[in-house]
Amino acid sequence: MSTAPEWIMVGGEGPESYNQHSSYQRALLEAAKEKMKEAISSKLSLDLIYDRFSVADFGCASGPNTFVAVQNIIDAVEAKYHRETGQNLSDNIEFQVLFNDFTSNDFNTLFQALPRGRKYYSAGVPGSFFERVLPKQSFHIGVINYAFHFTSKIPKEITDRNSPSWNRDMHCTGFNQAVKKAYLDQYSADTKNLLDARAEELVPGGLMLILGSCLRDGIKMSETSKGIMMDFIGDSLNDLAQQGVIEQDKVDSFSTPLFLAEECELRQIIEENGKFTIEAFEDIIHLDGEFVVDPKNSALSSKASFGAFLTAHFGADAMSQVFELVEAKIREGVSRIMNAKPDMQYLIVLRKNC
Ligand SMILES: C[S@@+](CC[C@H](N)C(=O)[O-])C[C@H]1O[C@@H](n2cnc3c(N)ncnc32)[C@H](O)[C@@H]1O
């Protein structure tokens, strides 16, 4: 396997930062708020709410969405406690929030933006969520928003031009079954590690709320708007290689540590792991629908998410040129994006088996 540079978001609060271009990811948290509340109300045991209650966000980035995610959870725990005991939770319980991301994440921006008047203590937890990052039984509810589609490595055979499994594209389109299998094998192994680690760290009966995108069964990545956007990035890299700005060899061996599984694959990976019970696997209607096709904004949003990774491979100048080309390609390809097949936005509720 080749180890990929860490896939971090563009930090800071500037005009090209993830902080300013993450409303798409936030819309899912807003759309899922009631379902998160229902899940906590019905699946979390009241016995777990005493003294200190810990919430952990895995893949928190530099804000502000993580604050929405953890507040949704705290509000739901408070509502449950009040309804079932008639008492105000803040009189009896202290909340702690654990913010996890790679060490290279912009934690400074995150902590400077912590909401005023928040009713929780905060701590940063640096490290890859594919490994243990917290002590045993140290949190009660975990959340992952749009960070459940990463792999820890890029399968080596897909980056080798001479391999039958060579991935001609920059991501897994699904057309080449050998590439798809290599990605799925890596994703399954990584997700198993992630679930094993969280099962150790969660208290018995604790919950994981996982939100993100997956493919509907039988749909290929390249048929969705996200796949088309990734093709625009791949095509732009090829354009720059043809202009001699970057090396074609580097483009040919470039792939991303991203994999959108099909719904049935996600279920199978979680069930085979066996550490959690799937309490819900809900289709969430995203308030923003699919990508809102404003070419400038779409290009900026992609840049905020992909920019740091592309810079690590091709340098900052080439990365900027890529997204100028991407904006033009979106402008030309609006109808392709509008007619793409839908992917699925989900909320998965997992309860740790005792
Ligand atoms: C698309 S962002 C989502 C951020 C945030 N949860 C939100 O809702 O806006 C994905 C985040 O996952 C983080 N991430 C990816 N792989 C990770 C890993 N192995 N360990 C910890 N964080 C990771 C990235 O650094 C990035 O901040």
Side-chain angles (χ1 to χ4, degrees), residues 114-131:
L114 276 165
R116 281 164 189 265
R118 66 193 175 280
K119 293 197 209 134
Y120 53 82
Y121 296 93
S122 323
V125 179
S128 170
F129 53 47
F130 293 124
E131 295 164 9

Side-chain angles (χ1 to χ4, degrees), residues 7-9 18 59 61 65 101-102 127-130 145-147 150:
W7 184 289
I8 52 161
M9 303 296 105
Y18 181 75
N65 300 347
D101 209 293
F102 283 127
S128 170
F129 53 47
F130 293 124
N145 189 47
Y146 280 111
F150 289 101

Side-chain angles (χ1 to χ4, degrees), residues 106-146:
D106 184 359
F107 280 103
N108 284 337
T109 293
L110 175 78
F111 289 131
Q112 280 158 16
L114 276 165
R116 281 164 189 265
R118 66 193 175 280
K119 293 197 209 134
Y120 53 82
Y121 296 93
S122 323
V125 179
S128 170
F129 53 47
F130 293 124
E131 295 164 9
R132 285 281 305 278
V133 288
L134 287 165
K136 282 188 179 168
Q137 302 196 9
S138 55
F139 71 94
H140 300 81
I141 300 183
V143 61
I144 300 180
N145 189 47
Y146 280 111

Side-chain angles (χ1 to χ4, degrees), residues 235-248 251 317-318 320-322 324-326 328-329:
D235 292 347
S236 303
L237 284 168
N238 274 312
D239 289 354
L240 287 189
Q242 272 166 26
Q243 292 166 23
V245 178
I246 51 180
E247 290 166 34
Q248 186 68 51
V251 177
D317 281 355
S320 286
Q321 291 181 53
V322 164
E324 282 166 25
L325 294 173
V326 166
K329 288 186 196 298

Side-chain angles (χ1 to χ4, degrees), residues 48-310:
L48 293 183
I49 312 176
Y50 63 92
D51 292 348
R52 192 190 72 215
F53 194 93
S54 295
V55 176
D57 185 6
F58 297 92
C60 63
S62 44
N65 300 347
T66 184
F67 305 130
V68 177
V70 300
Q71 198 57 51
N72 279 1
I73 292 171
I74 290 172
D75 289 349
V77 174
E78 280 186 331
K80 176 186 173 76
Y81 188 84
H82 189 258
R83 198 182 52 254
E84 294 186 21
T85 67
Q87 295 180 42
N88 281 335
L89 187 144
S90 50
D91 298 340
N92 302 310
I93 313 277
E94 291 186 321
F95 280 102
Q96 176 184 44
V97 175
L98 304 160
F99 294 98
N100 160 259
D101 209 293
F102 283 127
T103 48
S104 46
N105 179 57
D106 184 359
F107 280 103
N108 284 337
T109 293
L110 175 78
F111 289 131
Q112 280 158 16
L114 276 165
R116 281 164 189 265
R118 66 193 175 280
K119 293 197 209 134
Y120 53 82
Y121 296 93
S122 323
V125 179
S128 170
F129 53 47
F130 293 124
E131 295 164 9
R132 285 281 305 278
V133 288
L134 287 165
K136 282 188 179 168
Q137 302 196 9
S138 55
F139 71 94
H140 300 81
I141 300 183
V143 61
I144 300 180
N145 189 47
Y146 280 111
F148 201 53
H149 52 276
F150 289 101
T151 58
S152 68
K153 302 179 188 78
I154 293 166
K156 195 165 174 36
E157 63 272 28
I158 72 163
T159 63
D160 177 1
R161 260 191 97 100
N162 301 315
S163 156
S165 310
W166 177 49
N167 187 23
R168 183 181 286 275
D169 308 300
M170 66 169 271
H171 67 97
C172 178
T173 61
F175 288 115
N176 179 335
Q177 284 308 301
V179 174
K180 157 100 197 226
K181 183 174 180 319
Y183 262 113
L184 180 57
D185 287 351
Q186 182 62 44
Y187 181 76
S188 303
D190 287 331
T191 303
K192 177 184 178 304
N193 288 340
L194 184 156
L195 295 172
D196 283 347
R198 296 304 79 77
E200 293 268 316
E201 297 163 353
L202 257 177
V203 301
L207 303 180
M208 284 297 300
L209 308 180
I210 306 178
L211 301 107
S213 293
C214 67
L215 297 177
R216 294 186 185 279
D217 294 349
I219 302 284
K220 295 179 178 67
M221 179 72 180
S222 54
E223 297 171 323
T224 67
S225 54
K226 289 192 181 78
I228 293 169
M229 288 292 290
M230 287 178 84
D231 279 341
F232 287 158
I233 298 174
D235 292 347
S236 303
L237 284 168
N238 274 312
D239 289 354
L240 287 189
Q242 272 166 26
Q243 292 166 23
V245 178
I246 51 180
E247 290 166 34
Q248 186 68 51
D249 269 1
K250 268 194 160 179
V251 177
D252 288 347
S253 62
F254 177 71
S255 279
T256 59
L258 303 177
F259 179 71
L260 257 64
E262 293 179 26
E263 180 186 351
C264 62
E265 293 164 345
L266 275 181
R267 282 183 186 277
Q268 189 178 347
I269 293 167
I270 297 166
E271 280 163 8
E272 281 179 6
N273 171 261
K275 301 273 168 49
F276 293 89
T277 301
I278 302 178
E279 297 287 0
F281 199 132
E282 307 251 7
D283 211 326
I284 304 290
I285 305 303
H286 201 296
L287 296 179
D288 277 0
E290 280 302 301
F291 282 106
V292 179
V293 191
D294 167 343
K296 194 166 190 58
N297 259 329
S298 298
L300 272 172
S301 300
S302 305
K303 193 174 183 181
S305 293
F306 287 75
F309 191 74
L310 287 183

